[in-house]
Amino acid sequence: MHTVDNSKPEADRLTIGTCAVLLSSREVHGPGARKVQRLTPKSVGVLLALARRAGQVVTREELFADVWPDTMPTNDVLTQAVTQLRKVFAAADGGDDGTPYIETIAKTGYRLLAPVVWEDADSVTREENEIAAEAVAGNAAASAVKTPARALHRKLRRHVLLAVGLVLLTSTVVMAWLLWGRASPDARGDEVDASGTRVVGSPARPYRLITSSAAFETTPTLSPDGALVVFAKEAEGRSTLWIQSTGSTPPVALVATPANASDRFPVWSPDGRQIAFARFLPQAGCEVLLVSATGGDARRATRCDGTDMLSFSWSPDGRSLLFGSMTGAHASRGIRTLELASGRWSSLSYERGADDFDYAPQYSPDGSRIGFVRNPQVGDLWVMDADGGNAERLTNEAAEIRGWSWLHSDEIVFGRRVDSESRLYRLDVATRTLRDMGVDDARNPTVSRHGGNLAFSRDRPQYGLFRVPLTEGGGPRVRLFASSGRDGQPMVSPDGTQLAFTSDRSGTFALWWGRLDDPGSLRVVEGLRPEARQPMDWSSDGRSLLVSGRDADGLPGIYEVMPEDGRWKKLAVPVRETLQAIYGIAPGTLLVVERGDDERMTLTLFDRTQTPWKRMAALEGVSQARLDRAGNRVLFTRLATGGLWQIGTDLAADSILALNTEVPTRWRYRTWAVTGNGTVGYMSIGAGCATQFSVIAGEGASRCLDTDKFSSGNGMSLAPDGSAAFIALGIAEGADIGVMRVPKRAPRRMLGVAKWLP
C-alpha cells in the first residue's frame, strides 16, 4: 500500500537548480525573475513529491496518491500542475518553457532533473539574522548621507501623486459629460437588447447564408483570400461540386461529375490555384483528384479504393497532401503525406495506440504544427509538431466532432454535437479555453488563410419517429407521437408495447416515454439529461432501461430509469468515463462501454450485486454493444475498424467471431439493432436510396425504406419479431452554406492594473 507523506519538511526553503522555493508563501525566487513567482497549493504538493525523489521517476499514480488523496482526479489536473511548475521555473531562471527542470516520462509519470538542496532551519535562521544585522548597520551608517536624497524623493512623489489625481479627476469629469450628453431613450419605451442597442426587428445573426436551395450543401472550402467558396451539393442520391463567391451570386459547377460517381471533400490549395477532392465510384472505387480553381479536366493524385472515413488537406507549400488514417486497399493507421510530383508516400512517426484512428489532419497557418481528430466517433482534438513530436490532447470529452479548422496558429474552430444539434466552438490551444461561438446547427467550419472569412455548413433538420414495416403486407408506415421538435433514438421495449426516445419538443433535450397503443400516455422524464450518442437498453421485463447521460456538473454517467413512474437513479459504476451500458444475461450483471485514461475503449462485465462492483471480464476496442438473448451472445462493433462481431456473454476471448467484416461502418456504428430472434438489421444510405435497410446477420430481406428522406444516424430499434423498424426520419431537411467574418481573438487574462489599460 502506498503511504501518503503529509509531514511538513524540516525547513521552509529549498533550492532547486538556481531557484529558491519558500514553501510557506509558495514563492519561487530566481536570478532571472522580474517578479516573484507564486505557485498553487497543488503545484507545491507535486513539486514536493518530485523533490523528495529528485532524479527518480515518480508515477502519476504516486502523485495522485500524494497530492489528491481520497479523490478521483483526472489527468488534466496533474498536467496543469506540472505545466505551471515548468512555466514558473522557466521565468525564475530567466530561460523559457524549455528549461530542463521537469521531464515527462511517456505513459508513466515525471522526473525532476534539477539538483535539490534542502536547507535546514538553523542555517536559514542564522543567515536571516546575519542579513538583518548587516542591514541595520548599513542603514545607520548611511542615514546621514541619504537624508537630503530622501527628502527630495518625498517631494517628487508628492508631485507625481498630485499629477495622477488631476488626471483621474479630469477623466471623471469627461466621462460624466459624455454620459449626460447621451441621448435619452424614447418616451415610448423602445425595446433594447442586452447591450442597450435598440431592437428594430429580429436580432442580427453573426453570419449570412449564401445558398438556399432544397439540396444539401456541405463541406465548404474557402479560397485563400476568402472571396470564393467551393462546396459539395447532395441531391438525387449523388454529390457534385459547385463554386460561387461569398456573396449571393448563383453557383456554377466546378467540374463535370460522371453520372455514376459522387464528388466530395473539396480542399483549396494554399496558393488558390487548385482544388483537391475525392471522387467515389461504383464497387467501392475511390480516387483523389486535382482540378484548377477555374475548372477544366481533373487529374488523379492517388487511388483510395475501399477507404472508409477519407480525409486529407494541403501542405503549406502546396507540394503535397496530408492524409489521415486510411482503410481498405490503401490502409494506413497513421498520418502520412503524399508528394504530388513524385507520388511518393511518407509516414509521420508519432505516438499512437493500436486502435487509434487519426482523422482530418491540418497544418497550422504557420506550418509549425499539425492538428487532427483522434477517433472521431467518440473523439478529441489533438495537436503535435509538424515532424510528429510532442503530440498532446487538447480536449477530453469523447465528443462527436463535426469538422474543424485553424482560426489562427494558436486557435481552433470546430463543430461538436450537443444534444440534438451541432454547434461551433473556438478553442485556445495554449490555455485550452473553450468558447461557444453562438452559431447553432453548424458543422464543417473552414477558414480562409488571408481573407478573414469563416464558412460552414448550416442545417436544421426536423426528425419524426416512424414505425416502418419490414415485411410484405405489413401495412403503411406510421408516424409516432408527432411533434414539431427533433425526435431521435427510438427504442422499443422487448414486448413491443412501449417506446423510449429523446426529443427537444419541450424546448429542452430530454428523455420521453409512451405506450404505442396510447398516445395520451406520453410523458417526459424530468431532471435527466440523456446523451444523444449512445442508445438506451431495456431490461428483459420492460420495467426499466439504462440511459447514458450527464449530471448537473456535466459529468457522464449511467442512469437506470423506471419510465412509467418517471423515476431514475444514477448508478455507481466504478469507471472514470462511461459511454454505454446494457443489461447482462445473468441477473445483477451489466455490460459497460468505458473510456480509460489512455483513451482505450473497453467493454467490461460487472457484477453489481457486490459493493464495490466486481469486474468479471473485459474486452478492449469496443465502440458499441447489444445483447442477443436468443443467441446467448453479445454483439459489438469495434473502434478501430468497420464490421460486426459476437462474443459470449461471459466475454471469453476464445468466443469472438466475426459476423460481417464491412458493416456497420465507422461513421454509422450506431445504426444497427437486433430482433428477438437474433437477426441483425442495419440502416445505411444506398445507391438511389436515402434510407436503406439491410440484414447483416441472420435471415431476412433488405429493402429501401425511403428514397428521399434520410434516417438519423444515432440510433434505431427493431420490433421483437422483426416485422418493423422504429427509426427517426427527416421530415424537413436541407443544408446551406453560411459565411461570417472570423471573430476577433478573445483576450487572454492579464494580471494587475495592466488588464484595465485597453
Side-chain angles (χ1 to χ4, degrees), residues 667-723:
W667 274 133
R668 302 187 66 87
Y669 73 104
R670 295 171 293 187
T671 59
W672 62 282
V674 59
T675 66
N677 61 13
T679 298
V680 181
Y682 173 58
M683 213 69 65
S684 62
I685 301 174
C689 181
T691 300
Q692 175 78 36
F693 174 79
S694 305
V695 175
I696 60 176
E699 298 181 356
S702 301
R703 56 181 300 184
C704 180
L705 302 186
D706 200 294
T707 58
D708 301 317
K709 294 181 174 61
F710 293 93
S711 63
S712 172
N714 65 333
M716 45 86 70
S717 61
L718 298 174
D721 60 359
S723 62

Side-chain angles (χ1 to χ4, degrees), residues 19-34:
C19 301
V21 181
L22 300 181
L23 299 177
S24 58
S25 59
R26 306 196 309 274
E27 295 178 350
V28 178
H29 301 262
R34 297 182 178 180

Side-chain angles (χ1 to χ4, degrees), residues 86 136 177 282 318 351 380 447 468 482 514 562 750:
R86 285 172 170 158
V136 170
W177 178 78
E351 187 175 350
D380 287 301
V447 178
V468 184
M562 282 57 73
M750 302 175 66

